[in-house]
Amino acid sequence: MRIVSLKLRGFRNLQEAAFTFSPRVNLVLGRNGEGKTNFLEALNYFSLGRSHRGSKNEELIGFDHEALHVQLEVEEESGNVLPCEFGLDRQGGRRFRLDGEAVRRRADLVGRLATVFFNPDSIQLVRGGPQERRSFVDQGMAEVDPLYLAALTSLQRTLKQKSGLLRKYKLGLTNPAKTEEELRAWNRELATHAAVVCLGRQDYARLLTPHAAESQRALTDQEDDLVFRYRPQLESVRNLLESDRDIPLKKLPEKEHLEGVIYQEIDYIRGSEMKRGRPLSGPQLDDFAVLLNRRFQPPEKGLDLRVYGSQGETRTAAISLILARSDALFARRRIRPVLFFDDIFSELDRERTLRLQELASRLHQVFIATARKEDVDGWHPDEMKIWNVESGALNEVT
């Protein structure tokens, strides 16, 4: 998959312009604050239906504009070129079109433009809290399995309803008998969706691990194995999924059986949840371990990088996991996502930078934004296009 061209108007500080891209490497050079990250944000917005930076839609519209409009041409693996566009206005309007047809739901955009983004915050995948790792897995699994996205959305909606009921009870707005009856119903529905989500997260961790280990070895030239292991919060799920240490080869349990054990566990603490006024257990509290197994070391003795990893080890592990996400997508859907690198090479030594650049551009279209020309010194890939950016204006270097 690659982005063939871009037309934009009214996006942040970027001047109205049109671009045609290299199918391999596209380099954007400029000082901080000139518009490099804004440019990558405009390219990546359609893949998520939102800003990867967490910005509100109105913040994306340029100060002197009432609306923005971005058009992309995306070439799929089949060679078919797909027109994609989106528009936002200050009244809260948001419009997406795919191949000329209006897209009503943001969920319908998932996977149509597949991208993987690297920035200085990527290290939080290892160092950060469980939410960082859950979001990473949920987004990756949603790309490879639309049924997972549907179950995750339903799970989140059910949790919201259950949380609202518990808050109402805590405030004395509903009686105990009625609350217990409704909680049982929400717990049954929660278990149905949670079973799909838990199995999906386990599946994705198994899918990701060998690719992450391969990327880790390519970046470090060492024989250590990187392992990404699912750590369910629910004890019943842990017992079923972790009984076999050989996780990549483990057979997953039946969904219907898992539904039953999940329901039993979360409904067992119904009284405690009513007392506390909030859900106390479920996949919303899951985590994932990032382990580094030295050569000849048993898997259970792996170094927990979140706790004990050096800055270099955690940074390399995060990059390896994010690269593995692109390999996982190709393994399941035969799609090579577009890769974005936003000012990350200053965080790596020169040898590791060159290894990453070569590894990433070998099979993918790559967009690189950097303030330092020396980040790409000594690297001369074929078909590279270069732009200089200043005050939101991008000029191609010929």
Side-chain angles (χ1 to χ4, degrees), residues 33 111 136 177 215 250-251 268-269 274 298 310:
F136 170 74
S215 293
K250 179 170 168 50
K251 184 179 178 181
Y268 180 77
I269 59 170
M274 290 171 65
S310 68

Side-chain angles (χ1 to χ4, degrees), residues 132-144:
E132 300 283 345
R133 290 177 286 280
R134 285 197 303 270
S135 295
F136 170 74
V137 169
D138 289 342
Q139 186 176 340
M141 190 62 189
E143 289 174 341
V144 302

Side-chain angles (χ1 to χ4, degrees), residues 99-322:
D99 201 15
E101 298 291 331
V103 178
R104 305 298 180 190
R105 302 183 308 160
R106 197 176 74 186
D108 294 333
L109 299 175
V110 175
R112 300 312 303 265
L113 170 56
T115 65
V116 174
F117 212 102
F118 300 77
N119 62 24
D121 292 334
S122 296
I123 193 173
Q124 294 304 313
L125 178 57
V126 178
R127 285 289 196 193
Q131 175 61 38
E132 300 283 345
R133 290 177 286 280
R134 285 197 303 270
S135 295
F136 170 74
V137 169
D138 289 342
Q139 186 176 340
M141 190 62 189
E143 289 174 341
V144 302
D145 186 358
L147 295 178
Y148 180 84
L149 178 59
L152 179 65
T153 302
S154 297
L155 174 69
Q156 292 167 340
R157 185 172 58 248
T158 304
L159 275 169
K160 185 177 180 180
Q161 295 288 344
K162 177 179 174 178
S163 298
L165 174 63
L166 290 168
R167 282 195 301 270
K168 285 171 61 179
Y169 177 74
K170 182 76 170 177
L171 294 170
L173 301 177
T174 181
N175 65 64
K178 181 179 180 183
T179 301
E180 285 206 61
E181 181 183 355
E182 290 188 32
L183 270 180
R184 288 191 185 95
W186 287 124
N187 285 340
R188 288 191 186 93
E189 184 170 342
L190 188 65
T192 299
H193 305 312
V196 179
V197 169
C198 292
L199 289 173
R201 287 174 176 174
Q202 170 77 334
D203 185 27
Y204 196 70
R206 296 190 314 161
L207 176 63
L208 210 65
T209 287
H211 299 298
E214 184 178 355
S215 293
Q216 172 87 4
R217 288 191 288 267
L219 289 173
T220 63
D221 201 26
Q222 296 176 0
E223 292 301 314
D224 299 338
D225 281 332
L226 187 65
V227 177
F228 191 65
R229 182 162 293 176
Y230 181 35
R231 288 288 182 257
Q233 186 268 345
L234 290 163
E235 183 179 359
S236 56
V237 178
R238 285 200 306 273
N239 291 339
L240 281 171
L241 298 186
E242 294 186 352
S243 58
D244 187 341
R245 289 173 180 168
D246 194 7
I247 288 182
L249 300 178
K250 179 170 168 50
K251 184 179 178 181
L252 295 175
E254 294 293 331
K255 170 182 171 293
E256 291 74 15
H257 177 56
L258 194 57
E259 281 182 29
V261 297
I262 290 175
Y263 173 72
Q264 288 179 4
E265 181 171 349
I266 60 178
D267 202 57
Y268 180 77
I269 59 170
R270 185 175 62 250
S272 297
E273 291 184 326
M274 290 171 65
K275 184 176 180 180
R276 299 284 291 276
R278 60 183 176 85
L280 299 176
S281 189
Q284 73 276 15
L285 302 173
D286 284 349
D287 200 357
F288 297 81
V290 184
L291 308 173
L292 190 63
N293 288 342
R294 306 298 185 188
R295 196 175 184 185
F296 306 124
Q297 187 178 39
E300 66 273 14
K301 299 295 184 182
L303 180 72
D304 187 337
L305 293 179
R306 186 184 66 82
V307 180
Y308 301 109
S310 68
Q311 190 166 352
E313 287 173 329
T314 54
R315 185 177 291 117
T316 302
I319 291 171
S320 299
L321 285 167
I322 297 171

Side-chain angles (χ1 to χ4, degrees), residues 73 84 89 92 97 110 165 176 214 260 282 291 323 328 341 372 384:
E73 286 186 318
C84 308
D89 62 48
R97 298 187 73 84
V110 175
L165 174 63
E214 184 178 355
L291 308 173
L323 281 173
F341 295 90
R372 309 189 324 162
M384 180 164 69

Side-chain angles (χ1 to χ4, degrees), residues 17-32:
F19 306 90
T20 302
F21 301 115
S22 164
R24 288 202 62 204
V25 180
N26 299 273
L27 178 63
V28 183
L29 299 170
R31 294 172 299 179
N32 292 331

